[in-house]
Amino acid sequence: MATLPVVYTYPLSNYTFVKKEPKLDKDTTLADRLARMKLMYRQEGMRTSVEAILVVQEHNHPHILILQIGNTFFKLPGGRLRPGENEIEGLKRKLTSKLGPTLPALVPDWKIGECVGMWWRPNFENVMYPYCPPHITRPKECKKLFLVHLSEKDYFAVPTNFKLVAVSLFELYDNPQNFGYVLSSIPQLLSRFKFNAVAT
Amino acid sequence: MATLPVVYTYPLSNYTFVKKEPKLDKDTTLADRLARMKLMYRQEGMRTSVEAILVVQEHNHPHILILQIGNTFFKLPGGRLRPGENEIEGLKRKLTSKLGPTLPALVPDWKIGECVGMWWRPNFENVMYPYCPPHITRPKECKKLFLVHLSEKDYFAVPTNFKLVAVSLFELYDNPQNFGYVLSSIPQLLSRFKFNAVAT
């Protein structure tokens, strides 16, 4: 039999969540965001962003740690790479900036695993696709999702303008209305892994 | 940079499609199918099925070879494993039965690649999920999807009661109404691969 890649997961209660100062978004509206994206595209070319899928166990089922802004907007921790930046190092930098405690010794040892999916933004618009559409020779953004293997216990510090919520695969699945197309496809992307829940 | 796994794809026109005698489905209705599934579950336990994702290139975009039955039903080539059967060997057997020419020398050298996704059937019902739902201790079926690497040229023989159609990723994406949840998620499952179209 072909063996499945294994992901060890630990109970949500193993992790400690503290607060840190707010990390304000650079843009307050979608229009601002797309305008800034256009400007940066002219300066730096295609944006590459990297995001982390952090898996914990709760109620006997894998849950994903997701940042919630306000009541309705959800996003994975991560962000834009600097021009030429290595994507693994860039994702570690972004995770520390978004979720790392202020005390460097407490920052989790981010173990960046497999790239599990990629999404493309063909135009300066909100919509992304899990492929680069035909006839699009100059996509505006490529977003890569990585599985990040958490340690048995870790400290996270969450900016006060976010909540960090654990959302189950069955809440995400087939639910683009609430979570958008990228997040609601995570269950499919992770279906090839065997989750090994470690009770500690 | 983390390197992406590469899949070489060849133009649809590289492949030869001939007809062979019909392969009739064992069941004519969904109710029959679920009844037979129940009976076999009692005899053999959980059904494991294996299906193939065969990728070709057309119009500068990856397309998936899908079996069409009548006008509205689509499925990947593959089927149920025998009890204890190795999944790679079982998928080769199923591919030869569904798509192999009658002349053994012409049967493609099926190169079974990565398991890209798994779907679970919790009950004797039509619906499947890309995870085993919590509280389900005895799922009724597990379906594994494998990427199959085609050769530069191949012969396929399609039973006359099916059509073999090449469906683009953008037709499949977000289209469960036409293709069901399993097929319409293929673009996400394949998004982590780099498709290298070989012009021949």
Side-chain angles (χ1 to χ4, degrees):
Chain A
M1 292 288 144
T3 52
L4 300 173
V6 172
V7 179
Y8 292 94
T9 58
Y10 303 93
L12 178 59
S13 57
N14 274 27
Y15 300 97
T16 306
F17 300 91
V18 297
K19 288 181 178 177
K20 67 176 177 184
E21 59 187 27
K23 274 223 164 294
L24 296 175
D25 242 337
K26 294 200 180 75
D27 316 294
T28 48
T29 68
L30 178 63
D32 284 357
R33 178 150 185 266
L34 297 174
R36 193 167 58 88
M37 202 178 266
K38 214 174 248 184
L39 185 69
M40 296 199 67
Y41 181 81
R42 252 181 263 137
Q43 296 171 349
E44 305 183 348
M46 186 184 78
R47 165 193 292 249
T48 304
S49 52
V50 287
E51 295 186 348
I53 299 177
L54 306 169
V55 192
V56 300
Q57 195 73 11
E58 200 179 32
H59 306 307
N60 217 11
H61 186 69
H63 285 58
I64 312 298
L65 296 181
I66 297 178
L67 290 165
Q68 185 176 0
I69 304 110
N71 281 318
T72 56
F73 188 69
F74 297 90
K75 67 174 188 179
L76 293 173
R80 189 178 65 86
L81 293 183
R82 294 170 180 155
E85 186 176 25
N86 173 286
E87 54 197 23
I88 305 295
E89 292 313 309
L91 181 52
K92 289 182 182 178
R93 175 177 64 79
K94 280 292 178 183
L95 282 172
T96 297
S97 139
K98 294 277 166 67
L99 294 177
T102 330
L103 201 61
L106 290 182
V107 170
D109 171 25
W110 308 112
K111 293 185 210 65
I112 313 296
E114 297 84 340
C115 174
V116 294
M118 291 169 65
W119 290 78
W120 300 85
R121 189 187 307 277
N123 303 111
F124 294 113
E125 290 167 9
N126 207 25
V127 61
M128 301 187 85
Y129 300 95
Y131 46 82
C132 189
H135 311 303
I136 297 292
T137 50
R138 301 179 64 187
K140 302 307 180 281
E141 180 176 353
C142 174
K143 183 202 288 276
K144 296 188 180 187
L145 308 189
F146 289 87
L147 193 57
V148 172
H149 299 270
L150 291 179
S151 303
E152 187 182 331
K153 289 171 194 284
D154 265 327
Y155 274 84
F156 297 106
V158 184
T160 52
N161 57 320
F162 292 106
K163 275 189 288 188
L164 189 66
V165 292
V167 184
S168 70
L169 295 182
F170 66 86
E171 284 170 279
L172 288 172
Y173 174 60
D174 193 28
N175 196 353
Q177 312 88 297
N178 288 332
F179 295 104
Y181 284 92
V182 174
L183 288 168
S184 64
S185 294
I186 289 177
Q188 289 93 315
L189 300 183
L190 298 188
S191 68
R192 67 187 174 97
F193 294 94
K194 180 169 162 48
F195 289 97
N196 216 327
V198 184
T200 52
Chain B
M1 293 286 144
T3 53
L4 300 173
V6 172
V7 179
Y8 292 93
T9 57
Y10 303 93
L12 178 60
S13 58
N14 274 27
Y15 300 98
T16 307
F17 300 91
V18 298
K19 287 182 178 178
K20 67 177 176 183
E21 60 187 25
K23 275 224 163 292
L24 296 176
D25 242 336
K26 294 199 180 75
D27 316 293
T28 48
T29 68
L30 178 62
D32 285 357
R33 177 148 186 267
L34 297 174
R36 191 166 60 88
M37 203 178 266
K38 215 175 249 183
L39 184 69
M40 295 200 68
Y41 181 81
R42 253 181 261 136
Q43 297 169 349
E44 305 182 348
M46 186 184 78
R47 167 192 290 249
T48 304
S49 53
V50 287
E51 295 187 349
I53 299 177
L54 307 169
V55 191
V56 300
Q57 196 74 9
E58 201 179 31
H59 305 309
N60 216 12
H61 187 69
H63 285 58
I64 312 298
L65 296 182
I66 297 178
L67 290 165
Q68 184 176 2
I69 306 110
N71 281 318
T72 56
F73 188 69
F74 297 89
K75 67 175 189 178
L76 293 173
R80 189 177 66 85
L81 292 183
R82 293 170 180 155
E85 187 176 25
N86 174 286
E87 54 197 23
I88 304 295
E89 292 314 309
L91 181 53
K92 288 183 181 177
R93 174 177 65 79
K94 281 291 178 183
L95 283 172
T96 297
S97 138
K98 294 277 166 67
L99 294 177
T102 330
L103 201 61
L106 290 182
V107 170
D109 171 25
W110 307 112
K111 292 186 211 64
I112 314 295
E114 298 84 342
C115 174
V116 295
M118 292 169 64
W119 290 78
W120 301 85
R121 189 186 306 277
N123 303 112
F124 295 114
E125 290 166 8
N126 207 25
V127 61
M128 300 188 86
Y129 300 95
Y131 46 81
C132 189
H135 312 301
I136 297 293
T137 51
R138 301 178 63 187
K140 304 306 180 280
E141 180 176 352
C142 174
K143 184 201 286 279
K144 297 188 180 187
L145 308 190
F146 289 87
L147 192 57
V148 172
H149 300 270
L150 291 178
S151 302
E152 188 181 331
K153 289 169 194 284
D154 266 326
Y155 273 84
F156 298 106
V158 183
T160 52
N161 57 322
F162 291 105
K163 274 188 289 188
L164 189 66
V165 292
V167 184
S168 70
L169 295 182
F170 65 86
E171 284 170 278
L172 289 172
Y173 174 60
D174 193 27
N175 196 354
Q177 312 87 302
N178 288 333
F179 295 104
Y181 284 91
V182 175
L183 288 168
S184 64
S185 293
I186 289 177
Q188 287 94 316
L189 300 183
L190 298 188
S191 68
R192 67 186 175 99
F193 293 93
K194 181 170 163 46
F195 290 97
N196 216 327
V198 184
T200 52

